[in-house]
């Protein structure tokens, strides 16, 4: 999407992997992930994550309540803007309908062969202006055959993260089946907590100086 350099912009988020900008384009607002401000030593992983997001958004193009890919040129990733608030800003407390719709949204995503893979962060769940659930930030998304064991496992982890949010905000409505899903952890989760999680915490807190800030990146 060609946009003039002097187009009005508003920073939504900034971290070590780039800036997220709300850009006022000629056809309305859109969201841009700008890698231009990324430190040199992080440009390769930042590019890899943005490319991964672009591939996932292209794969699910046309699906409702997810961003639509507008452009990816290796420096900017442009996606459609969805008006709403992050889950932690507007919690769906006691909203059974919201969580039912969120589960249907996940099912649609998984049927298309995509696992989000980062739904523990409330910042990646939106409550839209009219109260619907929506998903953003597909940097860690995985694409594959939805019938494969690996993709079914990742889909189950996506669901577990949604149910953890439901336990937080709508605990009374958890069904017996959902409670069993929450209790049954997978080897992927156990391996992550035993190996990946300590490394992630060291890199984000000691090297990048991030705080546990709802996935918003480093605090000022």
């Amino acid at each position: 999407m060609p946009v003039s350099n002097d187009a009005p912009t508003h920073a939504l988020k900034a971290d070590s992997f780039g800036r997220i900008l709300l850009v006022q384009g000629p056809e309305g607002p859109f969201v841009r992930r700008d890698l231009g401000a990324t430190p040199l030593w992080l440009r390769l992983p930042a590019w890899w994550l943005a490319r991964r997001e672009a591939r996932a958004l292209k794969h699910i193009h046309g699906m409702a309540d997810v961003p639509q890919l507008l452009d990816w040129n290796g420096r900017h990733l442009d996606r459609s803007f969805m008006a709403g608030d992050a889950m932690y800003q507007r919690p769906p407390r006691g909203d059974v309908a919201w969580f039912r719709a969120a589960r249907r949204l996940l099912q649609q995503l998984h049927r298309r062969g995509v696992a989000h893979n980062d739904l523990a962060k409330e910042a990646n769940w939106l409550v839209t202006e009219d109260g619907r659930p929506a998903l953003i930030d597909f940097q860690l998304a995985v694409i594959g055959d939805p019938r494969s064991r690996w993709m079914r496992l990742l889909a189950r982890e996506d669901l577990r993260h949604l149910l953890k949010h439901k336990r937080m905000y709508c605990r009374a409505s958890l069904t017996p089946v959902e409670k069993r899903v929450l209790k049954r952890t997978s080897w992927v989760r156990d391996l992550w907590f035993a190996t990946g999680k300590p490394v992630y915490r060291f890199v984000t807190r000691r090297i990048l100086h991030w705080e546990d800030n709802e996935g918003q990146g480093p605090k000022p």
Side-chain angles (χ1 to χ4, degrees):
M1 174 182 291
V3 178
S4 170
N5 290 332
D6 59 359
T9 63
H10 171 69
L12 299 176
K13 169 185 169 183
D15 59 31
S16 304
F17 294 106
R19 298 179 301 165
I20 305 297
L21 305 171
L22 179 62
V23 182
Q24 296 295 333
E27 299 180 3
F30 64 92
V31 176
R32 165 168 290 174
R33 183 182 295 277
D34 180 11
L35 307 185
T38 307
L40 284 175
W41 66 284
L42 283 175
R43 286 191 179 177
L44 183 58
W47 173 86
W48 181 80
L49 289 169
R51 177 177 175 270
R52 192 182 184 104
E53 180 170 24
R55 289 183 66 244
L57 294 182
K58 184 177 180 180
H59 193 80
I60 58 176
H61 179 76
M63 181 176 162
D65 298 319
V66 297
Q68 301 299 300
L69 179 65
L70 303 177
D71 187 48
W72 162 241
N73 61 12
R75 178 186 172 95
H76 296 148
L77 186 153
D78 296 343
R79 62 171 175 82
S80 59
F81 171 70
M82 294 189 295
D85 300 297
M87 178 190 284
Y88 69 92
Q89 296 172 319
R90 187 179 160 199
R93 298 186 190 279
D95 192 344
V96 179
W98 190 93
F99 283 100
R100 286 176 180 165
R103 184 160 184 169
R104 289 194 297 269
L105 178 59
L106 271 188
Q107 290 171 339
Q108 294 171 31
L109 184 72
H110 296 154
R111 280 197 293 266
R112 290 174 180 247
V114 175
H116 188 284
N117 217 30
D118 198 20
L119 294 181
K121 295 180 181 177
E122 294 191 18
N124 291 341
W125 286 99
L126 290 187
V127 180
T128 63
E129 286 187 336
D130 60 358
R132 300 190 324 276
L135 294 172
I136 60 171
D137 198 347
F138 284 75
Q139 291 187 96
L140 298 181
V142 176
I143 302 172
D145 182 348
R147 296 168 295 183
S148 69
R149 292 183 63 184
W150 176 240
M151 289 302 292
R152 291 202 309 269
L153 180 62
L154 293 181
R156 183 172 175 274
E157 286 301 297
D158 277 354
L159 175 60
R160 281 190 68 253
H161 288 308
L162 171 61
L163 294 179
K164 288 170 71 175
H165 297 313
K166 185 176 181 180
R167 183 174 59 191
M168 172 68 71
Y169 295 120
C170 205
R171 190 183 192 96
S173 69
L174 282 171
T175 68
V177 172
E178 290 173 341
K179 291 176 182 178
R180 288 197 295 270
V181 171
L182 282 169
K183 288 180 180 179
R184 291 171 51 197
T185 60
S186 72
W187 64 265
V188 171
R189 182 261 187 195
D190 294 338
L191 182 64
W192 166 250
F193 273 86
T195 59
K197 189 72 170 182
V199 174
Y200 172 81
R201 285 178 173 169
F202 176 81
V203 172
T204 56
R205 297 183 184 184
R206 298 293 183 87
I207 298 178
L208 301 179
H209 305 294
W210 287 14
E211 299 291 340
D212 187 6
N213 192 25
E214 298 292 351
Q216 298 174 81
K219 293 180 179 178

